[in-house]
Amino acid sequence: MAKDEFDFLYDEKIELPREYLERKRKRDMRKLVLHIVENELDEAKRDIFIRVFSDGEKIQDVALSMGISQSAVYKNYDKALKTIEQCLKYVVYYQNCCRNDKLMPLEVMKKYADASRRKADLSSISMRLSRLMQKNSISVKQLCLCTGINKKHFEQVFQGVSHLTDEEIALLSGFFGVTTDYILKGDSDWIKH
């Protein structure tokens, strides 16, 4: 993948930390959309989406060149948009939560997670995660897609075979908008302020 204007690292002389995070979120969102277009859309929907959305071609021109009706192009384009929206639903939710949250570096969250994990009752972690997933109407597959956690590993956590890493606890905490202590220990003051 070619390096673009979003790939340079944070430089405090050029931008504020919040500006860097916003730039990074936009870059990540663009990469996610490209990944979804390449992997979740069938060939016809992908071709139509790229031609209409990215290349700016008119519906009637796409229909004419593909030899299909305009309504078929509209339907495929609409289905492509719905697929992309469904895949990005929780990513957008997570990014909005990050925007509204005070800046807490991942390293700090990991240290909190590590300190809490030493005192955690491992059998109840999966119960709290299940409750959070139910409350937010999200499946294991969707959660793993949004956070980047390996699905097989996450399922092993639920079976008690494997443990979450500090980074995974921090990611889940950020995603659900709860403290790492809530995930690990079920502390009553669980909403981030």
Side-chain angles (χ1 to χ4, degrees):
M1 185 173 277
K3 196 168 186 169
D4 61 26
E5 78 263 25
F6 294 105
D7 285 332
F8 65 86
L9 297 175
Y10 171 67
D11 184 349
E12 62 186 18
K13 295 173 188 167
I14 298 174
E15 61 190 341
L16 297 170
R18 279 278 175 209
E19 292 169 344
Y20 168 74
L21 287 176
E22 191 64 29
R23 180 170 54 83
K24 184 178 183 314
R25 285 186 191 107
K26 286 179 182 175
R27 180 202 60 194
D28 292 347
M29 186 63 77
R30 189 173 66 218
K31 287 183 178 181
L32 279 169
V33 169
L34 289 173
H35 176 78
I36 292 165
V37 168
E38 291 172 8
N39 296 293
E40 299 294 326
L41 301 180
D42 63 42
E43 191 175 336
K45 289 183 188 74
R46 183 183 321 120
D47 187 33
I48 290 170
F49 179 81
I50 290 170
R51 291 174 73 174
V52 173
F53 187 82
S54 300
D55 300 341
E57 288 186 44
K58 294 181 179 179
I59 298 286
Q60 56 267 27
D61 295 339
V62 174
L64 187 63
S65 68
M66 292 181 80
I68 57 176
S69 69
Q70 288 185 26
S71 64
V73 174
Y74 277 116
K75 286 178 185 174
N76 278 302
Y77 183 69
D78 189 51
K79 287 179 183 178
L81 284 176
K82 286 181 180 171
T83 300
I84 293 167
E85 286 172 5
Q86 185 61 31
C87 289
L88 293 177
K89 179 179 175 183
Y90 293 102
V91 176
V92 171
Y93 167 74
Y94 176 60
Q95 287 193 337
N96 288 335
C97 288
C98 289
R99 248 185 225 106
N100 298 328
D101 197 14
K102 291 179 181 171
L103 182 61
M104 181 183 283
L106 187 59
E107 289 304 314
V108 175
M109 290 180 74
K110 284 185 194 173
K111 286 184 180 169
Y112 280 135
D114 185 45
S116 297
R117 187 170 55 174
R118 291 188 197 123
K119 303 172 189 171
D121 172 19
L122 299 175
S123 62
S124 62
I125 290 174
S126 61
M127 178 192 69
R128 280 188 291 280
L129 287 173
S130 293
R131 196 176 311 139
L132 287 169
M133 289 166 62
Q134 277 184 327
K135 181 181 174 192
N136 291 280
S137 303
I138 187 169
S139 68
V140 171
K141 181 181 177 183
Q142 291 169 321
L143 181 61
C144 291
L145 180 68
C146 293
T147 58
I149 297 173
N150 181 286
K151 186 175 181 272
K152 186 176 179 184
H153 167 67
F154 195 73
E155 289 170 344
Q156 289 174 341
V157 169
F158 274 89
Q159 297 166 0
V161 178
S162 186
H163 302 289
L164 291 168
T165 66
D166 295 343
E167 186 172 359
E168 290 167 342
I169 294 166
L171 285 169
L172 291 167
S173 165
F175 182 82
F176 288 116
V178 298
T179 62
T180 54
D181 278 353
Y182 174 75
I183 290 175
L184 293 166
K185 300 185 291 183
D187 285 357
S188 57
D189 185 22
W190 59 276
I191 301 286
K192 283 187 185 178
H193 300 292

